Amino acid sequence: MAEPLSFGALRAILTSVFKQLPDTRGGENTQYTVCDAALGAFGVFFVQSPSFLAYQRDMQRRKGCNNAQSLFGVAHIPSDPQIRNLLDPIAPTHLGAPFWTILERLVEDKALAVDFEFEGGWLISLDGTQYFHSTTIHCPHCTVTQHDETTHYAHTVLLSVLAKPGKGDILVLEPEFITPQDGATKQDCERHAAQRWVVRNATHFAGRRVTILADDLHCNQPFCELLLEHHLDFIMTCKPDSHPTLYEEVALLSKVGAVTSCEERLWTGQGHQRWSYRFVAHVPLREPPQALYVNWCELTITAEATGETLYHNAFATNQALTEHTIRSTVAAGRARWKVENEGHNVLKNHGYHLEHNYGHGQQYLSRVLVMLMLLAFLCHTVLQLHDRSYQRLRTALGTRRTFFDDIRSLTRYLFFESWEHLIAFMIAGLDMAPD
């Protein structure tokens, strides 16, 4: 079994990749390396402080040392404009490897079997989100739309995360950007991005049972067939308006008693709920001929006291449905929301500020910065899952905001020889009992 991933091990993985990033400069002004620019930007996102590097340049002047170097390995701290200029020419695909290296390391130390395995496999949720919008700032990679005679420029990314029902954490994987494609005459879209993600990354899951979770936008025959071609299962949100043929078939089968129903009564601590399941096998995803046949299920949750419908949703899947598997299948389908709740929400509203324009550039800058932000998010997740000191500190401080507020304040005024030194200092300051 491999050693659990420490902060030092995570930094080493990132540094080995950042040292290989292409440097397109042709002149002799190479005081700052591309690796330093990438590590510096990563550090900004990791401590969730846009001013982190400015503070460390000031500390270097005052004390002759700085936390950008000791914590993140930045040999010489570039200015913000220098970082943008150095990173703008780098295609985001150069930053994809660390996501998979970290995943492989977690597999090696058996961590994922405990943290994310569900019914003998993995659940991967896909969903797109916009992270940049402007009516003035733009680059050749923007998605361009017209509304009320105004031109709008945007950047959108398809996030992919490992999720598990009942687990608060998610593990972010390499994303796919929604951006104009070479040789394409039409705008790119989330559907095409999801297809590219599958084709590019399916080999990482060879020999493993993986189920793709997605919303109704992706519940279509071409995408489901692509998943099956790459030996991936699927559970997709399936709405009546976009699948009239399927729902007509379900209605006919229901009339002859061919749709199976089961129900359970659950106590929530405040009242009883009725969880009513319905499912049926082998219904057409679209109008025949040559329709892909899928299995369909739905869950309706009602408050027993009032009869109010609290939740209703339906799913299409290639997985077999029985009275023994229906609950786990629906639980997996409902886990799709984790990419929004624990992914988009955290990245946009809890310190990372995904929608903030850290730099747009004219080539790849905005996408490179998103990749570095996601890597910072991933590293914090790994530490939260497997670093005991990190876990204890986060628990003692209570909220995410308090943890990062303290990190920002301490690293602004005090020098720490290492990440472990910083964490130990915080634990000692809280007078926490030895573990």
Side-chain angles (χ1 to χ4, degrees), residues 8-21 35 39 72-73 98:
L10 292 169
R11 194 183 85 172
I13 291 170
L14 297 178
T15 302
S16 66
V17 172
F18 294 171
K19 285 183 176 179
Q20 303 302 315
L21 294 175
C35 181
L39 286 169
F72 302 107

Side-chain angles (χ1 to χ4, degrees), residues 44 47 69 121 125 173 175 197 234 255 268 297 326 353 398 416 420:
V44 166
V47 301
Q69 188 281 322
S125 181
L173 304 175
W197 187 91
F234 60 84
K255 290 180 179 179
T268 67
C297 59
I326 183 62
H353 303 297
F416 297 93
E420 290 74 19

Side-chain angles (χ1 to χ4, degrees), residues 16-307:
S16 66
V17 172
F18 294 171
K19 285 183 176 179
Q20 303 302 315
L21 294 175
D23 189 341
T24 61
R25 291 172 293 180
E28 298 180 357
N29 184 17
T30 56
Q31 176 184 359
Y32 302 105
T33 66
V34 175
C35 181
D36 279 344
L39 286 169
F42 171 82
V44 166
F45 297 130
F46 192 82
V47 301
Q48 296 190 1
S49 172
S51 301
F52 173 71
L53 296 181
Y55 296 153
Q56 302 316 306
R57 283 191 291 268
D58 181 62
M59 182 180 289
Q60 181 66 37
R61 287 191 294 269
R62 292 185 291 106
K63 298 185 176 184
C65 56
N66 69 83
N67 292 306
Q69 188 281 322
S70 62
L71 301 184
F72 302 107
V74 182
H76 302 285
I77 306 173
S79 67
D80 291 353
Q82 288 167 330
I83 289 177
R84 296 186 184 106
N85 291 335
L86 287 168
L87 297 182
D88 192 26
I90 297 171
T93 50
H94 288 292
L95 295 169
F99 292 94
W100 304 109
T101 302
I102 292 171
L103 182 70
E104 290 168 5
R105 284 289 306 274
L106 292 172
V107 170
E108 288 174 7
D109 69 14
K110 310 300 182 184
L112 288 184
V114 175
D115 293 323
F116 290 103
E117 192 165 288
F118 182 72
E119 299 294 324
W122 290 347
L123 305 176
I124 296 179
S125 181
L126 305 178
D127 194 50
T129 188
Q130 181 176 288
Y131 64 90
F132 171 81
H133 172 264
S134 176
T135 56
T136 56
I137 301 172
H138 60 93
C139 71
H141 300 286
C142 283
T143 298
V144 183
T145 56
Q146 296 285 336
H147 182 68
D148 292 336
E149 299 184 353
T150 300
T151 303
H152 296 261
Y153 305 97
H155 283 292
T156 307
V157 61
L158 180 83
L159 294 186
S160 58
V161 306
L162 272 178
K164 182 178 180 180
K167 189 171 187 64
D169 297 298
I170 58 172
L171 198 73
V172 66
L173 304 175
E174 183 182 2
E176 182 70 36
F177 291 92
I178 301 169
T179 186
Q181 300 297 299
D182 292 340
T185 58
K186 295 183 178 181
Q187 295 271 24
D188 196 19
C189 66
E190 186 176 328
R191 281 185 174 184
H192 292 158
Q195 293 168 0
R196 292 195 303 273
W197 187 91
V198 170
V199 171
R200 184 159 56 87
N201 296 313
T203 55
H204 291 293
F205 312 116
R208 187 175 298 278
R209 185 185 181 191
V210 171
T211 301
I212 301 298
L213 313 176
D215 62 20
D216 185 75
L217 176 68
H218 301 284
C219 190
N220 59 77
Q221 182 154 329
F223 187 58
C224 291
E225 288 181 332
L226 178 69
L227 294 174
L228 296 175
E229 177 186 337
H230 286 84
H231 309 290
L232 299 170
D233 292 339
F234 60 84
I235 303 174
M236 306 285 185
T237 301
C238 182
K239 296 181 179 180
D241 291 346
S242 50
H243 300 86
T245 300
L246 184 151
Y247 276 87
E248 288 171 7
E249 186 76 6
V250 170
L252 291 172
L253 292 171
S254 183
K255 290 180 179 179
V256 298
V259 176
T260 303
S261 300
C262 56
E263 185 175 274
E264 58 186 349
R265 184 173 183 248
L266 299 177
W267 173 253
T268 67
Q270 297 179 329
H272 282 101
Q273 294 179 351
R274 294 282 181 178
W275 288 44
S276 303
Y277 299 89
R278 298 173 68 229
F279 60 93
V280 66
H282 201 67
V283 289
L285 191 57
R286 70 181 186 192
E287 187 174 346
Q290 299 182 329
L292 175 68
Y293 283 79
V294 298
N295 302 322
W296 173 90
C297 59
E298 72 173 4
L299 168 64
T300 302
I301 302 176
T302 57
E304 187 176 79
T306 64

